[in-house]
Amino acid sequence: MPRKVDVEQQKSDIAEAVWRLVGRAGLEAVSLREVATEAGVSMGRVQHYFRTKEAMLLYGLRLAQRRMHERIEARLVRRPDPDAEDVLRAVLEEMLGGDHDTRQTIRICVAFLPRALDDQQVADLLYADDAEIRAHAARVIGQAQAQGRADPGLDPEREARILWSLAGSLGVEVAFGRTSVEEARATLSYHLDRLLGSSARRPERADRT
Amino acid sequence: MPRKVDVEQQKSDIAEAVWRLVGRAGLEAVSLREVATEAGVSMGRVQHYFRTKEAMLLYGLRLAQRRMHERIEARLVRRPDPDAEDVLRAVLEEMLGGDHDTRQTIRICVAFLPRALDDQQVADLLYADDAEIRAHAARVIGQAQAQGRADPGLDPEREARILWSLAGSLGVEVAFGRTSVEEARATLSYHLDRLLGSSARRPERADRT
DNA sequence: GTCATTACGATGCGAACGCATTGCGACGTG
DNA sequence: CACGTCGCAATGCGTTCGCATCGTAATGAC
């Protein structure tokens, strides 16, 4: 077997160039030539790794979402023995777009929204975790009610829906520069305090415990 | 003076073709030829009324938003002596995308989001009313507090932010087929009930009072 | 009727597009 | 040390793009 390179590395290098272009000016800004230039490689290379433009875009979206998942996991690792609420908070915090890559990912997802209308594959990618996380949020809210922390008059399903919409919306505002991360965080924190009780919970594990 | 046509009519006919294309598959789907075909006119006509593609798109966005404003006004006309809360509720209701044209407009706004990043003109159009409406919402919430209808512990500014984000987010979900209008309406109504007290207020004026 | 002016339809141009093809240098295997 | 395969760079093709140009039919002022 001949010449070997790190295929995944090459593909992700190209995908990241796609991200930058999409994040900067939307899907229309993406052409094979532009991607090649942005990645600092030849157009032949791009075509070697992606048979079609469509495949390249889909790979970029998929990878962006995987990276976002990894960032959420990383947040959880920093917590000792995370419970369901920790998981929810980690997801919400990630969605706010404090991280530069997250903002990029949010912009990418927004750019793909129109495609989801008639492309089931894109729709599946974009909405993959929605139902699961909403259900999870509802459970956490119900749990807080059972513990007497949350207003028993709340409808967990509806509140979960609202929370999810709110976090998503704040993330988009941040990603498109309409709101600062601090503002978004303060707003979400305010909402969560009213929903689950004070957010002053167990702190993240400090470095070198 | 020679041949006269209804210039505004012609321009809006073309703009509506742009809407259909954008609403169907995003900004990338818009080319002069496609627009001409969709509108059932010649490409020359399109170019006659819009000097550049950019001008055409901007006109489309502007007109879509003006139509949305008009629909909100129309909602208000159906209410006898509307107060500040009626205005807020009319705006929110419109944002949910119950109307087909509104859904189209929401999809158009989303499609333009990336452009707002480095096009101040687009940004101004997209975010024109945000601050005003948020301030208005905050006032309405404060007023409800003063009347003892709303929880005095609420922060009107933050609640206004949340309400605005929520309505926008629900509208986007509806516009992209992720949620039914009924669901969105129920969710918003649930939230408003907790925020302002029962939504069972003065009904709209019935036909033929 | 004459004429200026508006409203277009038709056509052409250069650039950029996605994609296919070709060829060759680099490398692990025998 | 050949040989076969992989990793690309280069180039070309047909299409589509936005836009400019040009010709002409229609119309109201005189």
Side-chain angles (χ1 to χ4, degrees):
Chain A
M1 282 294 170
R3 206 163 154 213
K4 256 324 203 217
V5 297
D6 186 338
V7 176
E8 289 314 313
Q9 183 63 48
Q10 302 273 35
K11 292 182 81 169
S12 64
D13 282 352
I14 294 170
E16 283 167 27
V18 174
W19 295 351
R20 288 192 292 274
L21 291 175
V22 174
R24 204 181 299 149
L27 272 182
E28 337 167 46
V30 179
S31 74
L32 296 185
R33 284 159 239 263
E34 273 293 315
V35 170
T37 302
E38 175 70 31
V41 303
S42 76
M43 203 177 136
R45 182 121 119 212
V46 175
Q47 288 195 88
H48 178 71
Y49 287 105
F50 300 104
R51 292 180 60 264
T52 66
K53 182 186 179 183
E54 183 69 12
M56 179 184 72
L57 292 176
L58 273 176
Y59 182 91
L61 177 58
R62 227 185 298 265
L63 184 62
Q65 298 208 332
R66 191 162 68 221
R67 291 277 169 85
M68 195 154 156
H69 276 143
E70 288 167 4
R71 284 193 294 276
I72 294 174
E73 305 273 334
R75 283 175 197 281
L76 283 175
V77 168
R78 279 184 250 134
R79 289 207 163 266
D81 189 29
D83 62 10
E85 184 170 333
D86 290 326
V87 172
L88 176 61
R89 284 180 185 269
V91 171
L92 293 174
E93 171 67 22
E94 172 68 22
M95 285 179 69
L96 287 191
D99 189 283
H100 170 268
D101 290 348
T102 301
R103 290 194 290 277
Q104 195 102 283
T105 301
I106 291 172
R107 275 182 244 126
I108 291 166
C109 290
V110 169
F112 272 96
L113 261 186
R115 296 203 171 204
L117 276 172
D118 42 29
D119 186 332
Q120 194 54 45
Q121 207 173 354
V122 171
D124 289 344
L125 273 173
L126 285 183
Y127 308 133
D129 308 321
D130 276 31
E132 187 188 340
I133 299 186
R134 269 223 308 265
H136 182 83
R139 250 177 281 126
V140 170
I141 295 168
Q143 193 180 308
Q145 285 178 322
Q147 294 173 2
R149 282 194 292 138
D151 181 348
L154 298 177
D155 178 338
E157 293 291 339
R158 294 228 173 275
E159 292 294 344
R161 244 186 141 59
I162 291 171
L163 179 59
W164 182 244
S165 285
L166 176 62
S169 188
L170 287 174
V172 170
E173 284 182 34
V174 170
F176 286 92
R178 294 276 306 149
T179 307
S180 70
V181 194
E182 293 75 25
E183 251 301 305
R185 229 184 316 244
T187 301
L188 186 68
S189 166
Y190 164 89
H191 185 72
L192 281 176
D193 283 358
R194 306 208 99 246
L195 201 58
L196 301 176
S198 169
S199 61
R201 288 164 34 91
R202 288 177 298 155
E204 286 193 0
R205 183 160 54 206
D207 297 323
R208 299 259 148 235
T209 304
Chain B
M1 282 295 168
R3 204 163 156 213
K4 250 342 199 203
V5 297
D6 186 340
V7 175
E8 290 313 312
Q9 183 63 49
Q10 302 273 32
K11 292 182 81 169
S12 65
D13 281 353
I14 295 170
E16 283 167 27
V18 173
W19 297 349
R20 289 193 292 275
L21 291 175
V22 174
R24 204 180 299 148
L27 273 181
E28 338 166 46
V30 179
S31 74
L32 297 185
R33 283 159 239 263
E34 273 293 315
V35 170
T37 303
E38 175 71 29
V41 303
S42 75
M43 201 176 138
R45 182 121 118 210
V46 175
Q47 288 196 87
H48 177 71
Y49 286 105
F50 300 103
R51 292 178 60 263
T52 65
K53 181 186 178 183
E54 183 69 12
M56 179 185 72
L57 292 175
L58 274 177
Y59 182 91
L61 177 58
R62 230 186 297 265
L63 185 62
Q65 299 208 331
R66 191 162 68 221
R67 292 277 169 86
M68 194 153 158
H69 277 142
E70 287 167 4
R71 284 193 294 275
I72 293 174
E73 305 273 334
R75 283 175 196 281
L76 283 175
V77 167
R78 278 184 252 134
R79 289 207 162 267
D81 190 27
D83 62 11
E85 184 170 333
D86 289 327
V87 172
L88 177 60
R89 284 180 186 269
V91 171
L92 293 174
E93 171 67 22
E94 172 68 21
M95 285 179 71
L96 287 192
D99 189 281
H100 171 268
D101 289 348
T102 302
R103 290 193 291 277
Q104 195 102 284
T105 301
I106 292 172
R107 275 180 245 126
I108 291 166
C109 289
V110 169
F112 271 96
L113 262 185
R115 294 202 171 205
L117 277 172
D118 42 30
D119 186 331
Q120 194 54 44
Q121 208 172 353
V122 171
D124 289 345
L125 273 173
L126 285 183
Y127 308 132
D129 308 321
D130 275 31
E132 188 188 338
I133 299 185
R134 268 223 310 263
H136 181 83
R139 250 177 282 127
V140 170
I141 294 169
Q143 192 180 308
Q145 284 179 321
Q147 293 173 2
R149 282 195 291 137
D151 180 349
L154 297 177
D155 177 338
E157 293 291 340
R158 293 227 175 279
E159 292 294 343
R161 239 180 196 302
I162 291 171
L163 180 58
W164 182 245
S165 285
L166 176 63
S169 189
L170 287 174
V172 170
E173 283 181 35
V174 170
F176 286 91
R178 294 276 305 150
T179 307
S180 70
V181 194
E182 293 75 25
E183 250 302 304
R185 227 179 323 238
T187 301
L188 185 68
S189 167
Y190 164 89
H191 185 72
L192 282 175
D193 282 359
R194 305 210 101 244
L195 202 58
L196 301 175
S198 170
S199 61
R201 289 163 35 91
R202 288 176 297 155
E204 285 193 359
R205 183 162 55 206
D207 296 324
R208 299 261 148 234
T209 302

